[in-house]
Amino acid sequence: METPIADFVSAYLQSGVSRLHMPGHKGRGPLGCERLDITEIAGADALYQADGVIAQSERNAAALFGTAATFYSTEGSSQCIRAMLYLSILHAPSGGKRPVIVAARNAHQSFVLAAALLDVEIVWLWPEDDGFSLCRCGISPLQLEGILKRLSRPPAAVYLTAPDYLGGAPDIAALAETAHRFGAPLLVDGAHGAYLKFLPHSTHPIDLGADLCCDSAHKTLPVLTGGAYLHVSRHAPADFMENGKRALALFGSTSPSYLILQSLDFANRHLAEDYPSRLTACAARLEVLRAALRGNGWIVAKSDPLKLTLAAAESGWDGKELAALLRQGKVECEYADPDFAVLMATPENTEQDFNRILSALGHNPRQKPLLRRCPVLLPPETVCSPRKAAFAPSESVPASLAEGRILAAPTVSCPPAVPVVVGGERISQSAIEVFAYYGISSVQVVRER
Ligand SMILES: Cc1ncc(COP(=O)(O)O)c(C=O)c1O
């Protein structure tokens, strides 16, 4: 597959033209990549008015993902999430009332901040599964149906996160069918799942019925940090595609990174060539590793194929202890909390990496689960909108002393950047216990007069 953006930059380098344009490094500098770092000069196209090399590259991505349109983001899924919310509000004017979005509670903070920015009212879907974890939110089509029936008008959208930080996902196909039956589009934060499209059996949200989906290409594909996609399904309302660029431009810098754009461009070539078979091989290798770890007494949770989610507490360990054990064995994991340690692999990992995981963990000497469990978060009282809370005067207070206070802005441990309490909610005793469990020691609350 051709790489029009990278080819343009390469030809520009060959031409030896003097750079009397931005950026100020003029192609020279300590990183070595400066020569490839250009800006929107003649012929380089413009990300938000693309009709040249960027448009061609985005069409290539759309063909690979089987979408009506795939737009590039150089500012991560965070930018795409803001754009998805904007598009859904634009599509469903609410007659002067605040738009409503029904969302699974394990949403990333970029969703909550976008809701504050766009003054969205969020109706939360709370997890139905046992064993509360901040990252997880098991919800069912029946639960969604119940909530949609109770709303006086269809929401602007239903919003899900899949896969989540632990690698779990709800039944997207069934939830899409339910949302559509009630006239609501389905938006999916697929930040962790770009690669799912390229496995022999795709479970990519767009293939399961989502109307809009964002993927952080940089999380699971060989793409520089910041590279992401906003996908519009072929079945989505036409205005999602017509306004997609406009929506991204609203939240993006006017100086998109051409390093990231070239990286997204090269990813298309990889995905059109051998990357799908390498992904399949990597998923199979991880399955072998999971079996070996189970044989050594470790409990490995169910997850998407490229995550290795160690059920630390069930295996007798605190997740952070496991992360330290792995670190001693020269392995750095993606995420650890008291219950889990999560490792993310791609075909770029080597056999040495997988062997290190196995030898760092060895045989599990503790076979008894830890008795401690995450306190269950009871749905907090909503006092005001996330927007009102975000714009109110605020102060930082110790989380342990915050009972009864109204949260101003989500305070998150990053990763997973999933808020315990969102702006405008009253902090309850159960929330304080969850803050303590996840090591959150201070929170930003609305100042009391
Ligand atoms: C579930 C989820 N959604 C969205 C994001 C934001 O993605 P990005 O960092 O590409 O902006 C993240 C980041 O970690 C995430 O984990």
Side-chain angles (χ1 to χ4, degrees):
M1 179 171 270
E2 77 271 25
T3 50
I5 306 174
D7 293 352
F8 172 83
V9 176
S10 168
Y12 184 66
L13 290 189
Q14 300 296 321
S15 72
V17 166
S18 295
R19 298 187 182 201
L20 273 295
H21 59 73
M22 295 182 260
H25 55 62
K26 307 299 173 187
R28 290 180 285 273
L31 294 175
C33 59
E34 288 86 349
R35 60 195 194 93
L36 296 168
D37 183 36
I38 62 160
T39 187
E40 292 172 328
I41 54 173
D45 209 358
L47 181 57
Y48 300 118
Q49 290 91 34
D51 59 4
V53 289
I54 295 176
Q56 277 173 39
S57 183
E58 288 180 323
R59 278 198 296 275
N60 290 343
L64 288 161
F65 280 92
T67 58
T70 289
F71 301 117
Y72 289 163
S73 157
T74 57
E75 295 166 66
S77 282
S78 302
Q79 182 190 9
C80 303
I81 288 168
R82 293 189 277 271
M84 291 201 294
L85 264 59
Y86 172 78
L87 285 169
S88 65
I89 296 168
L90 201 63
H91 174 70
S94 52
K97 296 195 182 124
R98 287 172 61 217
V100 174
I101 293 187
V102 175
R105 182 68 182 197
N106 60 342
H108 186 260
Q109 73 157 340
S110 51
F111 168 77
V112 179
L113 296 178
L117 208 59
L118 296 165
D119 203 12
V120 168
E121 180 183 341
I122 310 166
V123 174
W124 291 109
L125 292 160
W126 286 86
E128 285 189 324
D129 40 12
D130 300 332
F132 179 80
S133 163
L134 201 51
C135 303
R136 192 164 51 196
C137 188
I139 51 168
S140 66
L142 214 61
Q143 182 189 7
L144 176 62
E145 179 162 348
I147 286 198
L148 292 174
K149 271 186 182 157
R150 285 200 293 279
L151 293 178
S152 55
R153 59 194 154 94
V158 172
Y159 183 94
L160 305 175
T161 301
D164 62 35
Y165 232 102
L166 303 179
D171 184 345
I172 300 175
L175 292 161
E177 189 278 321
T178 307
H180 291 153
R181 201 153 29 86
F182 284 82
L186 179 69
L187 322 182
V188 178
D189 170 356
H192 291 238
Y195 78 97
L196 292 171
K197 173 71 193 174
F198 302 97
L199 291 178
H201 171 65
S202 165
T203 52
H204 191 277
I206 289 288
D207 290 327
L208 299 179
D211 296 273
L212 291 173
C213 172
C214 67
D215 289 331
S216 297
H218 67 93
K219 292 193 199 301
T220 62
L221 299 177
V223 168
L224 290 178
T225 297
Y229 309 111
L230 173 59
H231 302 296
V232 184
S233 157
R234 289 183 177 143
H235 310 289
D239 55 338
F240 284 0
M241 180 163 151
E242 286 155 19
N243 297 315
K245 278 281 176 194
R246 195 152 74 84
L248 286 160
L250 200 58
F251 303 105
S253 162
T254 52
S255 301
S257 161
Y258 269 78
L259 291 176
I260 297 175
L261 290 173
Q262 288 167 83
S263 183
L264 287 163
D265 198 31
F266 276 124
N268 290 338
R269 175 174 287 170
H270 288 308
L271 291 169
E273 292 177 354
D274 65 341
Y275 212 71
S277 61
R278 293 181 62 208
L279 278 167
T280 306
C282 180
R285 180 65 186 88
L286 276 166
E287 209 36 56
V288 170
L289 180 59
R290 284 187 196 97
L293 289 168
R294 286 187 182 114
N296 286 351
W298 295 99
I299 299 184
V300 182
K302 202 165 162 269
S303 70
D304 68 85
L306 290 196
K307 277 203 181 74
L308 177 64
T309 303
L310 298 164
E314 279 184 64
S315 304
W317 293 70
D318 184 293
K320 296 212 187 253
E321 270 187 314
L322 269 193
L325 193 66
L326 286 161
R327 200 167 293 125
Q328 273 173 25
K330 297 191 87 166
V331 175
E332 189 62 36
C333 71
E334 165 61 29
Y335 168 65
D337 68 19
D339 298 305
F340 298 99
V342 178
L343 295 88
M344 288 172 77
T346 76
E348 305 306 323
N349 283 109
T350 61
E351 194 52 29
Q352 181 187 48
D353 298 335
F354 297 120
N355 289 334
R356 277 184 178 169
I357 297 169
L358 197 59
S359 57
L361 293 174
H363 282 267
N364 181 8
R366 309 179 194 166
Q367 303 279 345
K368 286 210 177 96
L370 291 186
L371 290 178
R372 180 210 53 200
R373 300 207 72 173
C374 181
V376 175
L377 178 66
L378 302 173
E381 175 198 357
T382 300
V383 181
C384 66
S385 69
R387 183 182 175 89
K388 198 168 168 202
F391 284 92
S394 67
E395 61 184 338
S396 176
V397 298
S400 58
L401 303 179
E403 188 174 1
R405 303 290 299 268
I406 301 163
L407 198 86
T411 316
V412 292
S413 50
C414 194
V418 175
V420 177
V421 178
V422 306
E425 289 179 343
R426 197 182 297 286
I427 297 167
S428 61
Q429 186 52 38
S430 94
I432 290 176
E433 285 166 22
V434 178
F435 284 140
Y437 194 77
Y438 285 100
I440 295 169
S441 56
S442 64
V443 286
Q444 194 73 17
V445 294
V446 173
R447 191 173 290 155
E448 289 175 336
R449 282 161 208 281

